[in-house]
Amino acid sequence: MSKEENKKLFIETLGCQMNDTDSQHIIAELKEHKNYSTTNNMEEADLIIINTCSVREKPVQKLFSEIGQFNKKKKDTAKIGVCGCTASHLGEDIMKRAPYVDFVLGARNISKIKDIVDKKGAVEIDIDYDDSTYQFAQSGTSLYKTSVNISIGCDKECTYCIVPATRGEEISIPLEMIVQQVAKDVANGAVEVTLLGQNVNSYGRRFSDGREKTSFTKLLQEVSKIDGLERIRFSSPHPLHMDDEFIEELVKNPKISKCIHMPLQSGSTSILKDMKRGYSKEGFLKRAKKIRDLIPEVRITTDIIVAFPGETQEDFEDTIDVINQVKFDQIFNFKYSPRPNTQALELEEKEIADNIGSARLTEVIELHKLHQSEHMESNIGKTVNVLFESLKPNGEVSGFTDNYVQVFVKGSDELLGRFIDVKITGASRTSLKGEVIN
Ligand code: SAH
Ligand code: SF4
Ligand code: F3S
């Protein structure tokens, strides 16, 4: 039997970490079943895939400008596929706007890639499709770090967010499948895992085989038992569901990285209500304070949306107040972007003028820079433990501390994959410099 000829895949990924993992699954499936290998050169590719994001308008515009370019420069015979969240929400409209697209494959339908890749004109965007128990081919790309999905979809109804409409209802991946996947990656050399879901704290509420419920805390405990796994991260938890049992696990489990994402979105209780986030300004502050008190070295990161419809100056000042009180270690800032299929569209008449949104965004960014510098400089003179993971062209080696600060030292590849004590000698706003302690 002649083996199918080797073909080249060029894949571009927009959006979040879950989309990155989906792209790894696509690569692994096409490698195992269709004999594709990846290339960074789009012009030599036989298949071009763009794995899209819909969360704001910008990445959707990017999709159409990019595929237009791909179509001009690609080999004549090359196919173009559009996958991910924008594929889910626009479906066959993508082909109407860009008739040269060969197939459209929505998020949570990714396991169908090997069947759809050769079907010209196919559109698979079933929002109820359940691939939570599909065994994806092994990607084998993980070196020291790996990412594993723990659920698909999202059951929350944050009024600004398109994700529930693109990824459908939440279904947890069976616990033993997750543990098995992490153990496999650890056997291949990974020492760190990031567990991924749109709302990790709701893990275990619904499985497709109707089995008994479990919890995210239980999953953390089971994953921690894997020998050789040294560090566990996860994204994203939801501030509303970070209950005492979960916080206790954060505090006492030494394998859990002490860098926690707490997406605030807004500091105003009235805006949080309109966003349907389920917590108040005070509730958020109380939880953040509790975590900082119990874990002094913790770093807290967040997401903030400014200029949500109806956001007054007073509401915005509440956001500034929370930023000043929590002093987040990292803020991902966004200006509100109206999205199809979201409840916030009903608040259209309360939309905030773009120049006000931009000014608020700038204010958040500038304030945050001050806090970042303050946090980073407080590390000078301290000794930290770093997992080294990449060699830089200038002879430096970079890695991350347990609370996820990037550290650079002079050194060689001997450091890679090891946890090593480093004395911090300098700080920039986003990283540290240090010397290995021998
Ligand atoms: N499930 C995750 C991530 C959701 S998308 C979570 O809840 O944390 C990542 C971030 O994009 C959100 O946290 C939010 O800050 C931002 N975002 C989502 N929809 C948006 C919109 N319509 N406009 C601007 N930012 C948005
Ligand atoms: Fe969107 Fe909210 Fe779900 Fe996050 S938790 S994906 S912001 S609906
Ligand atoms: Fe974007 Fe979909 Fe992720 S909309 S943020 S790729 S869940």
Side-chain angles (χ1 to χ4, degrees):
M1 201 174 66
S2 74
K3 193 158 167 62
E4 223 179 318
E5 127 202 46
N6 182 270
K7 289 167 286 182
K8 297 276 182 212
L9 164 69
F10 174 86
I11 185 163
E12 177 173 335
T13 308
L14 309 175
C16 62
Q17 281 171 292
M18 291 203 88
N19 247 22
D20 280 334
T21 312
D22 286 348
S23 287
Q24 289 309 321
H25 285 156
I26 291 174
I27 294 169
E29 289 287 301
L30 291 179
K31 189 171 161 195
E32 174 134 338
H33 302 285
K34 294 281 167 181
N35 207 23
Y36 275 96
S37 58
T38 49
T39 173
N40 292 325
N41 179 0
M42 186 274 295
E43 293 177 31
E44 70 162 18
D46 302 290
L47 172 63
I48 296 163
I49 287 181
I50 176 155
N51 195 11
T52 57
C53 173
S54 251
V55 81
R56 283 167 290 276
E57 181 57 26
K58 243 197 205 141
V60 178
Q61 289 164 352
K62 189 162 176 193
L63 159 69
F64 286 103
S65 62
E66 299 255 288
I67 50 177
Q69 287 301 314
F70 292 160
N71 187 44
K72 279 190 202 135
K73 296 190 182 147
K74 72 180 182 68
K75 287 203 303 206
D76 280 350
T77 51
K79 289 185 276 196
I80 298 183
V82 176
C83 303
C85 285
T86 307
S88 297
H89 108 250
L90 292 182
E92 54 190 24
D93 284 354
I94 294 176
M95 285 173 178
K96 286 193 192 131
R97 266 177 84 171
Y100 46 81
V101 167
D102 290 274
F103 63 87
V104 172
L105 182 66
R108 90 183 270 150
N109 287 256
I110 292 300
S111 58
K112 299 176 187 164
I113 184 71
K114 62 180 186 300
D115 305 316
I116 202 182
V117 66
D118 297 319
K119 280 192 201 155
K120 178 136 183 79
V123 177
E124 289 282 342
I125 53 167
D126 181 359
I127 200 68
D128 296 320
Y129 191 68
D130 175 7
D131 61 5
S132 68
T133 52
Y134 183 82
Q135 286 274 4
F136 285 96
Q138 187 66 9
S139 76
T141 52
S142 61
L143 202 50
Y144 309 117
K145 293 180 180 184
T146 183
S147 302
V148 175
N149 289 348
I150 66 167
S151 57
I152 60 173
C154 180
D155 277 354
K156 302 301 284 186
E157 293 182 351
C158 304
T159 56
Y160 51 81
C161 185
I162 196 174
V163 173
T166 63
R167 292 196 178 252
E169 76 169 2
E170 184 176 309
I171 303 178
S172 297
I173 294 173
L175 195 146
E176 71 280 3
M177 273 182 81
I178 299 168
V179 170
Q180 206 180 47
Q181 182 62 50
V182 180
K184 227 189 248 176
D185 291 343
V186 168
N188 284 333
V191 283
E192 175 182 310
V193 67
T194 305
L195 305 173
L196 295 175
Q198 294 301 337
N199 174 7
V200 290
N201 295 104
S202 67
Y203 176 78
R205 289 212 206 128
R206 187 191 301 126
F207 292 95
S208 46
D209 59 7
R211 67 172 68 191
E212 213 177 294
K213 291 184 188 183
T214 179
S215 69
F216 184 55
T217 303
K218 177 79 182 147
L219 176 68
L220 286 170
Q221 289 164 349
E222 291 303 310
V223 170
S224 311
K225 290 182 188 156
I226 298 171
D227 269 346
L229 179 70
E230 303 292 346
R231 194 184 272 170
I232 302 171
R233 291 169 53 76
F234 43 82
S235 185
S236 294
H238 192 304
L240 175 66
H241 304 294
M242 296 167 108
D243 57 18
D244 287 348
E245 189 198 23
F246 167 76
I247 293 176
E248 194 185 315
E249 189 63 26
L250 287 186
V251 175
K252 70 170 196 220
N253 186 333
K255 288 194 177 180
I256 299 179
S257 163
K258 302 301 180 256
C259 178
I260 305 298
H261 192 57
M262 281 186 80
L264 168 67
Q265 314 301 1
S266 168
S268 151
T269 297
S270 111
I271 295 290
L272 286 167
K273 207 165 169 210
D274 286 349
M275 289 176 161
K276 290 206 183 157
R277 288 292 287 174
Y279 50 87
S280 62
K281 174 185 180 184
E282 291 68 32
F284 183 94
L285 282 170
K286 206 168 144 199
R287 241 166 218 178
K289 183 171 183 313
K290 182 166 183 183
I291 293 176
R292 281 230 194 269
D293 286 349
L294 291 170
I295 315 172
E297 77 278 21
V298 80
R299 294 178 75 243
I300 300 182
T301 64
T302 201
D303 290 349
I304 284 173
I305 300 176
V306 299
F308 183 80
E311 184 186 73
T312 61
Q313 184 58 26
E314 209 184 344
D315 291 320
F316 176 63
E317 276 159 20
D318 274 328
T319 300
I320 293 290
D321 185 39
V322 176
I323 297 174
N324 272 320
Q325 292 199 47
V326 180
K327 293 194 175 173
F328 295 104
D329 293 86
Q330 170 92 53
I331 300 181
F332 302 94
N333 317 276
F334 310 103
K335 196 174 6 169
Y336 170 72
S337 168
R339 307 304 298 129
N341 308 320
T342 60
Q343 295 172 46
L345 282 186
E346 290 163 20
L347 304 171
E348 200 178 9
E349 78 282 3
K350 292 198 202 166
E351 265 181 36
I352 305 296
D354 198 50
N355 61 336
I356 297 182
S358 301
R360 289 180 182 169
L361 196 62
T362 308
E363 194 174 330
V364 169
I365 293 170
E366 291 308 315
L367 177 61
H368 173 51
K369 279 184 184 166
L370 297 177
H371 295 157
Q372 266 184 316
S373 302
E374 208 178 293
H375 283 305
M376 286 305 203
E377 279 159 20
S378 72
N379 286 296
I380 296 177
K382 286 190 185 159
T383 297
V384 296
N385 192 255
V386 179
L387 165 62
F388 285 101
E389 59 186 58
S390 62
L391 206 52
K392 302 292 162 193
N394 64 358
E396 287 184 329
V397 191
S398 123
F400 287 86
T401 59
D402 182 50
N403 58 5
Y404 240 69
V405 188
Q406 191 167 24
V407 178
F408 293 90
V409 298
K410 288 252 174 283
S412 69
D413 56 4
E414 275 177 27
L415 300 180
L416 297 179
R418 290 167 57 199
F419 288 84
I420 293 174
D421 281 342
V422 173
K423 170 114 182 172
I424 299 304
T425 55
S428 76
R429 198 164 46 74
T430 53
S431 65
L432 300 174
K433 266 194 190 314
E435 287 159 9
V436 167
I437 299 175
N438 289 307

